[in-house]
Amino acid sequence: MSIVTVRNAAGQPVGMTASSLASVSLQPPLVSVSVDVSAEMHRVISVAPSYVLNILSSEQEPLSRRFAHTPIMDRFTGIPFRETPEGLIVLEGAIAHIECERFADFPLGDHTLFVGRVIGGTVAAGEPLLHYRGEYAVLRKP
Protein backbone atom coordinates (compact mmCIF):
# COMPACT_ATOMS: atom_id res chain seq x y z
CA MET A 1 0.00 0.00 0.00
CA SER A 2 1.09 3.54 -0.59
CA ILE A 3 0.03 7.05 0.25
CA VAL A 4 0.37 9.76 -2.37
CA THR A 5 1.36 13.10 -0.82
CA VAL A 6 1.36 16.51 -2.45
CA ARG A 7 0.73 20.16 -1.64
CA ASN A 8 -2.51 21.77 -2.74
CA ALA A 9 -2.71 25.22 -4.36
CA ALA A 10 -2.71 26.83 -0.89
CA GLY A 11 0.50 24.98 0.04
CA GLN A 12 -1.19 22.62 2.50
CA PRO A 13 -0.15 18.96 2.59
CA VAL A 14 -2.78 16.55 1.27
CA GLY A 15 -2.66 12.85 0.57
CA MET A 16 -4.61 9.71 -0.17
CA THR A 17 -4.18 5.96 0.09
CA ALA A 18 -3.42 4.37 -3.27
CA SER A 19 -3.27 0.66 -3.97
CA SER A 20 -2.68 0.90 -7.71
CA LEU A 21 1.01 1.76 -7.90
CA ALA A 22 3.09 0.26 -10.72
CA SER A 23 6.48 0.53 -12.34
CA VAL A 24 6.15 1.73 -15.95
CA SER A 25 9.69 2.13 -17.29
CA LEU A 26 13.33 1.85 -16.24
CA GLN A 27 14.68 4.30 -18.85
CA PRO A 28 13.50 6.87 -18.04
CA PRO A 29 12.39 5.72 -14.58
CA LEU A 30 8.59 6.04 -14.54
CA VAL A 31 5.91 4.90 -12.08
CA SER A 32 2.14 5.21 -12.23
CA VAL A 33 -0.70 5.67 -9.79
CA SER A 34 -4.41 5.56 -10.59
CA VAL A 35 -6.79 8.10 -9.01
CA ASP A 36 -10.60 8.14 -9.20
CA VAL A 37 -11.79 11.28 -11.02
CA SER A 38 -14.37 11.91 -8.29
CA ALA A 39 -11.75 11.91 -5.50
CA GLU A 40 -10.76 15.27 -4.03
CA MET A 41 -7.13 14.25 -4.52
CA HIS A 42 -7.70 14.05 -8.28
CA ARG A 43 -8.16 17.82 -8.52
CA VAL A 44 -4.99 18.41 -6.50
CA ILE A 45 -2.64 15.96 -8.22
CA SER A 46 -3.85 16.89 -11.70
CA VAL A 47 -2.25 20.34 -11.35
CA ALA A 48 0.68 19.52 -9.06
CA PRO A 49 4.12 19.57 -10.69
CA SER A 50 5.42 16.84 -8.35
CA TYR A 51 4.32 14.40 -5.66
CA VAL A 52 5.59 11.56 -3.46
CA LEU A 53 4.55 7.91 -3.33
CA ASN A 54 5.10 6.73 0.26
CA ILE A 55 5.35 2.92 0.50
CA LEU A 56 3.82 1.84 3.81
CA SER A 57 5.25 -0.62 6.29
CA SER A 58 3.24 -3.48 7.75
CA GLU A 59 2.92 -1.36 10.93
CA GLN A 60 1.06 1.43 9.11
CA GLU A 61 -2.36 -0.08 8.45
CA PRO A 62 -4.06 2.59 10.63
CA LEU A 63 -2.35 5.30 8.55
CA SER A 64 -3.55 3.68 5.32
CA ARG A 65 -7.10 3.57 6.66
CA ARG A 66 -6.90 7.19 7.83
CA PHE A 67 -5.77 8.47 4.42
CA ALA A 68 -8.53 6.43 2.75
CA HIS A 69 -11.47 7.51 4.94
CA THR A 70 -10.75 10.75 6.83
CA PRO A 71 -11.79 14.04 5.14
CA ILE A 72 -8.88 15.19 2.96
CA MET A 73 -8.08 18.36 4.94
CA ASP A 74 -7.90 16.44 8.26
CA ARG A 75 -5.63 13.59 7.18
CA PHE A 76 -2.35 15.21 8.26
CA THR A 77 -3.51 16.34 11.70
CA GLY A 78 -0.97 14.87 14.15
CA ILE A 79 0.80 12.84 11.44
CA PRO A 80 4.61 13.13 11.45
CA PHE A 81 6.21 13.96 8.12
CA ARG A 82 9.29 15.70 6.79
CA GLU A 83 9.92 17.82 3.75
CA THR A 84 12.55 17.20 1.12
CA PRO A 85 14.71 20.19 0.09
CA GLU A 86 12.25 20.64 -2.80
CA GLY A 87 9.32 20.87 -0.37
CA LEU A 88 7.89 17.42 -1.11
CA ILE A 89 6.13 15.57 1.73
CA VAL A 90 7.57 12.29 3.06
CA LEU A 91 5.64 10.37 5.71
CA GLU A 92 7.66 9.21 8.71
CA GLY A 93 7.82 5.43 9.11
CA ALA A 94 7.29 4.62 5.43
CA ILE A 95 9.68 1.89 4.26
CA ALA A 96 10.30 3.73 1.00
CA HIS A 97 9.36 6.90 -0.76
CA ILE A 98 9.47 7.75 -4.45
CA GLU A 99 9.69 11.39 -5.48
CA CYS A 100 8.03 12.04 -8.83
CA GLU A 101 7.54 14.90 -11.22
CA ARG A 102 4.42 14.70 -13.35
CA PHE A 103 5.26 13.15 -16.70
CA ALA A 104 1.94 12.20 -18.33
CA ASP A 105 -1.74 11.78 -17.44
CA PHE A 106 -4.09 9.26 -19.07
CA PRO A 107 -7.86 9.48 -18.51
CA LEU A 108 -9.11 5.89 -18.35
CA GLY A 109 -12.81 5.44 -17.60
CA ASP A 110 -13.57 6.71 -14.10
CA HIS A 111 -9.87 7.04 -13.17
CA THR A 112 -6.82 8.91 -14.40
CA LEU A 113 -3.49 7.15 -14.61
CA PHE A 114 -0.84 9.62 -13.45
CA VAL A 115 2.64 8.71 -14.65
CA GLY A 116 5.52 10.29 -12.77
CA ARG A 117 9.21 10.49 -13.62
CA VAL A 118 11.22 9.34 -10.62
CA ILE A 119 13.50 12.14 -9.42
CA GLY A 120 14.52 10.76 -6.01
CA GLY A 121 13.63 8.57 -3.09
CA THR A 122 14.81 6.36 -0.27
CA VAL A 123 14.45 2.78 0.91
CA ALA A 124 14.50 1.50 4.50
CA ALA A 125 14.23 -1.91 6.12
CA GLY A 126 10.81 -3.31 6.91
CA GLU A 127 7.93 -5.41 5.69
CA PRO A 128 5.47 -3.80 3.24
CA LEU A 129 1.77 -3.41 3.90
CA LEU A 130 -0.25 -5.22 1.24
CA HIS A 131 -3.89 -5.16 0.20
CA TYR A 132 -5.27 -8.37 -1.28
CA ARG A 133 -8.89 -9.33 -1.96
CA GLY A 134 -10.23 -6.42 0.04
CA GLU A 135 -8.11 -7.17 3.13
CA TYR A 136 -4.84 -5.86 4.50
CA ALA A 137 -2.05 -8.43 4.52
CA VAL A 138 1.61 -8.71 5.39
CA LEU A 139 4.26 -10.38 3.27
CA ARG A 140 5.75 -13.25 5.30
CA LYS A 141 9.12 -14.73 4.50
CA PRO A 142 9.20 -18.56 4.41
Side-chain angles (χ1 to χ4, degrees):
M1 293 299 294
S2 65
I3 293 177
V4 182
T5 55
V6 66
R7 291 197 180 277
N8 65 15
Q12 299 166 310
V14 293
M16 68 162 237
T17 299
S19 60
S20 60
L21 171 67
S23 173
V24 175
S25 169
L26 294 176
Q27 290 299 324
L30 302 173
V31 293
S32 69
V33 63
S34 181
V35 179
D36 189 312
V37 297
S38 67
E40 290 179 79
M41 186 67 167
H42 188 277
R43 290 183 291 284
V44 177
I45 199 170
S46 67
V47 297
S50 54
Y51 51 90
V52 174
L53 303 170
N54 297 272
I55 310 304
L56 301 181
S57 80
S58 60
E59 310 287 314
Q60 293 179 302
E61 181 180 331
L63 190 63
S64 176
R65 289 183 186 280
R66 177 186 182 122
F67 275 75
H69 302 297
T70 302
I72 195 166
M73 294 313 297
D74 298 333
R75 292 178 184 166
F76 274 91
T77 302
I79 300 300
F81 67 92
R82 66 178 176 80
E83 292 184 36
T84 68
E86 298 76 26
L88 298 174
I89 301 160
V90 177
L91 297 174
E92 294 295 333
I95 61 171
H97 85 277
I98 304 167
E99 299 169 27
C100 299
E101 70 180 12
R102 253 182 63 234
F103 182 80
D105 305 346
F106 300 95
L108 300 167
D110 60 0
H111 282 65
T112 298
L113 187 69
F114 293 97
V115 177
R117 186 175 69 81
V118 177
I119 57 173
T122 62
V123 178
E127 298 293 326
L129 179 64
L130 305 176
H131 198 258
Y132 177 69
R133 292 187 176 179
E135 302 281 333
Y136 284 94
V138 177
L139 181 64
R140 300 281 184 223
K141 295 179 184 176

